Amino acid sequence: RNPTENIATGLPNGVAWTITTEESGSTRAFAAEIQALSHVTAHESMAPRSRCTGIQQDRVQLMLAVLSIHASMKTLRSQDTFVNVVGGLKLEETGTDLAVAMALASTFYETQIQVSENGTPYVFLGEIGLGGEIRPVKQILNRLSVAARLGIKVVFIPAKMKNLDVSDLEDNYGMSILKVATVQESIELGLGLKGFNIKNEKAKGSQSSKDSYQGVEL
């Protein structure tokens, strides 16, 4: 599915986009839409349910634990949670962790992930460690190139990829590639919390906007 279709009015709660690759070693990369839903368990005596389609259950359980401990979402693990990868896709690599976490955060806070001025969603790339840190992913330039061709304007990537040269993508496609160090930073930016809104095009980014959130390198 093309993420530029049918979202001009914004994303529903619990929806996040990523660019994933095949585990077979192929250089093929493609966009994937992740949906999440959480709600209070019907009966307090019942254990919370977690159901996943298109993604490993263990990986989602890890995301729930990290968000509960490192992202001020302590009641999330006591709720029923459902995660689905749209279109029958199967995510088999960890570079999509951040998008899964963002979908869960969106449904938990009942807040939409922001979209760019051209109507495209923010895209999230990154593996999440047990400490809530965002870890590097493989084939990052390939993923970013796919995002650029799709017209994506804002992409979140791991801050640890400091030597990555993305100037061509930013200059030629007008992308804002944001480096985040933790899942908490990504949630605050991606959901527009704490009054901070990402500038949708690099040319429009002001120094005052950059200074308002020191945890992100623009």
Side-chain angles (χ1 to χ4, degrees), residues 11-17 32-39 49-53 55 60 63-64 67 73 76 79-86 91 96-113 191:
L11 295 172
N13 292 346
V15 173
W17 282 86
E33 177 185 359
I34 300 169
Q35 298 177 338
L37 176 67
S38 67
H39 64 85
R49 296 175 298 166
S50 180
R51 299 288 185 270
C52 303
T53 304
I55 187 171
V60 173
M63 295 301 100
L64 292 172
L67 290 170
M73 297 165 60
L76 181 61
Q79 299 183 8
D80 293 338
T81 54
F82 305 88
V83 177
N84 175 53
V85 184
V86 174
L91 304 183
T96 60
D97 282 356
L98 185 56
V100 175
M102 290 301 301
L104 287 165
S106 174
T107 186
F108 179 82
Y109 287 115
E110 298 184 351
T111 301
Q112 298 174 347
I113 293 174
L191 297 184

Side-chain angles (χ1 to χ4, degrees), residues 20-30 90-93 138-139 143:
T20 186
T21 61
E22 296 177 332
E23 279 291 273
S24 61
S26 168
T27 58
R28 179 171 176 255
F30 48 90
K90 291 187 177 180
L91 304 183
E92 298 178 344
E93 51 98 16
K138 63 182 181 180
Q139 297 189 38
R143 298 181 202 236

Side-chain angles (χ1 to χ4, degrees), residues 159 162 177-180 213-218:
K162 294 181 179 179
I177 298 174
L178 309 182
K179 297 179 180 179
V180 288
Y213 198 86
Q214 296 298 330
V216 176
E217 299 175 20
L218 296 185

Side-chain angles (χ1 to χ4, degrees), residues 137-158:
V137 300
K138 63 182 181 180
Q139 297 189 38
I140 186 70
L141 284 176
N142 187 26
R143 298 181 202 236
L144 290 172
S145 295
V146 169
R149 290 196 296 271
L150 290 172
I152 299 298
K153 293 300 182 185
V154 177
V155 183
F156 288 58
I157 69 170

Side-chain angles (χ1 to χ4, degrees), residues 119-193:
T120 58
Y122 293 177
V123 163
F124 300 90
L125 307 175
E127 177 182 348
I128 295 180
L130 294 178
E133 75 278 12
I134 311 301
R135 305 180 64 83
V137 300
K138 63 182 181 180
Q139 297 189 38
I140 186 70
L141 284 176
N142 187 26
R143 298 181 202 236
L144 290 172
S145 295
V146 169
R149 290 196 296 271
L150 290 172
I152 299 298
K153 293 300 182 185
V154 177
V155 183
F156 288 58
I157 69 170
K160 289 186 177 181
M161 308 191 84
K162 294 181 179 179
N163 296 325
L164 182 68
D165 184 5
V166 295
S167 57
D168 287 345
L169 291 170
E170 292 181 316
D171 294 339
N172 295 333
Y173 292 93
M175 298 176 71
S176 289
I177 298 174
L178 309 182
K179 297 179 180 179
V180 288
T182 68
V183 66
Q184 179 70 40
E185 291 176 359
S186 182
I187 290 170
E188 291 176 358
L189 289 170
L191 297 184
L193 303 180

